[in-house]
Every structure is written in structure tokens, then in C-alpha cells.
Amino acid sequence: MASSSSPSPPLASLSQTNPNPHAGADPRSDPSMPAASDGDGASPASTELQEEAELAAPGKEELEPPTPAEETPTPRKTRLPRACNSKPRLPPPPPLERPRRRAAAGAAADETPQCRVVTPLVSEPEAPAELARWRLRCMWELGSVLNFLHVFRALLNITVELTAEDIEAALITPNGTLYDIHMPLLKSIPPITRMAMGRGTWVTVLCRKLRDWWHWVAEGDLPIVASHGAEIEMYKELEPSTRLLILKAICDIRVEQDDIRNYIDTSVKRGYDLSTFRKERIGGDSLGISYWYEDDPILGHRLYREIRRVEQMKKEPGKRSKGKRISTPPVVSYHWETVASTFEEFDDVAVS
């Protein structure tokens, strides 16, 4: 006999794939499950199962995850660092400071040239007659000649006793004193001349000696050359400073000869100090000033003063070599003066 109620729906739908994406969800609560039949009444079994499922399982709203709201992507600059490569940023190192020495050098380069100012003790004379002698005394070559005559007097065969003032006067106004000095010196300098050397011809012999030796002991062109006897008058017309340079060259040539060389070597072997033949200063200071003293019973006593001046030149902008600025070397100059030659002058220097 057929029953009046419709049969229960088959349970084969439980074996179907659960479309619910959440693992562990109760398949009985899935909305995709088929509903009860459309009959007049539901079976008691199905009703009880539905009530138990509603009581045991969480609500539908809790089972379904909330749909995330659409958010704009975070910009790259404000995106948080990842844990795998997140490292604390160290503060930037402070800028390196250049040494103060360089800064001082650069400041000095921008300034105008500087030099230490040292006032000479002997000023230029007002009298024109004393000007030529003052200019000679401002040349270190005069002190060198006087020292040469003092050290090698025994080998020079100069028989006339001359003072320093006598030599200065002869250089200013040529006279027989120049012959007395030059003739013994020229006779000892090779090559030997066949020409008789007298007071009127020694200048010609001088020109021939200078022609062979000048470039060994001096710089520049020859100040005088032989010209069929015209050189005698030419020598008298030279400046006193030029005649002094010629005498200094003759003394340097004379030192190179064998007799003086052997005399120096023998004296050193016997215990004489080398300063006996090479003048040394007697003192100085931090300002670049040196003092020299000459003591000779015949020539006289003299005190010289040498001033060394160092001038820092301004660097030329834009000059660089392989990324480095080219440094300009300082300019060094010397000023020579004879500060004392008499007792009164020595006394004045001692007081000052």
C-alpha cells in the first residue's frame, strides 16, 4: 500500500564536492545542500537533523569570512620594510674637514706676496762721491776677494801691502794698484803667455786668460775682449762693479791651480780645519740675517751683514697637474752690506 507522504530525498548529495571553500565546515549547514521537498509536511527525521545542525554549527555569518574592502595599494616609498632585509639605517657620516694647514696655505695664496722686512743698517750715502764705494761694499764679491787675499797671501807673491780701502779706490778709479794685484795672479794661470807683461799690457793678457776660463768660473758673456790694444781704454771705462767681477773671476781661476790645491790638501792632513779656507759666518738670527767677520792685520777688520729675504708669490689660478694645484716656489734674494770697517762703526753696531 502506498504511503501518503513523499519519500525523503536521497542522501547521495553528501558525497558531492563541497563548494564551501572553508575546510572543516559542516556540510549539513552548507546552503548548497538540497532543501526539503515541497510536500505538505517535512519528515520528523529531517526536521530534527536540521535543528541539531543549527544548534551545533556556528551561524552562517560567522562561517563566511568577511569580504575584504578594496584598498588602494601602498606606495613604494611608504611601504614597510620586510623582516628578512630590514636593517637599521646608520646616520650619514659627518663631512671630512680639510687640514688647517691647507686652508692656511690657500688663504696665503690668495693674499698679496709677503716677505719679512729687515731694514739695512747702512743706508745709501747722500754724497755722490761716496756712492761708488757704497755700491762696492754692497757686493759680496768684494768680501770674497779680500778673504782670498788674506788666506793665500803666502802663495800669491803679492809684495805690496794693500788695505781694503786701497783696493776699493783702485776699482773705482783704475791706477797702479790693479797692476800690483793682477800681475802675480795672471802669471800663475795657464797657458803661459809669451807676451811681456807690463803696466800697459797686463789688460791684454787679462783678456786672453778670461777667454779661456770665464765660462768655468762665471756666468754671462765676457765683459771685455782683446781688440788690438783698444781693450786697455775699454777696461778703464768699465763700471767699478764690473772690474770687481773680473778680479773675483781671476781669484777663482787662481784657486783651481795645482799649488793652491796641494796647499789645501796638505794643511787638512796636518789637522787644519776646512773652515780655515772656507769662510763661515759668526752668527745669525731667525729673521734670515747672518754676520761675517774678516780679521786681517794688513787688509783691516770688517763686519759684513747678509740679509736673506724669502718672498711668497701668489699662485696663478687654474694651474693644475693631474688634479693637484701646482705650487709656486718662493723667491729668495740676498742683500749684502758692510756694516763696519772702522772702530767708530764697530762701536755703533755694538750699541745698536
Side-chain angles (χ1 to χ4, degrees), residues 97-110 315 323-324:
E97 295 183 1
R98 294 184 177 180
R100 295 183 179 180
R101 186 176 298 177
R102 288 186 178 181
D110 297 336
K315 296 181 180 179
K324 297 181 181 179

Side-chain angles (χ1 to χ4, degrees), residues 80-156:
L80 297 176
R82 298 180 180 179
C84 61
N85 57 5
S86 177
K87 296 181 180 179
R89 293 186 178 181
L90 298 177
L96 297 177
E97 295 183 1
R98 294 184 177 180
R100 295 183 179 180
R101 186 176 298 177
R102 288 186 178 181
D110 297 336
E111 297 177 357
T112 55
Q114 297 180 354
C115 62
R116 293 171 294 187
V117 178
V118 180
T119 305
L121 295 179
V122 182
S123 58
E124 182 176 346
E126 298 179 357
E130 298 294 330
L131 187 59
R133 187 182 295 269
W134 175 79
R135 290 175 178 173
L136 287 178
R137 293 186 176 184
C138 290
M139 298 177 62
W140 65 270
E141 288 84 357
L142 178 60
S144 178
V145 169
L146 296 179
N147 180 254
F148 169 81
L149 298 177
H150 164 70
V151 174
F152 302 106
R153 185 189 305 274
L155 302 177
L156 300 180

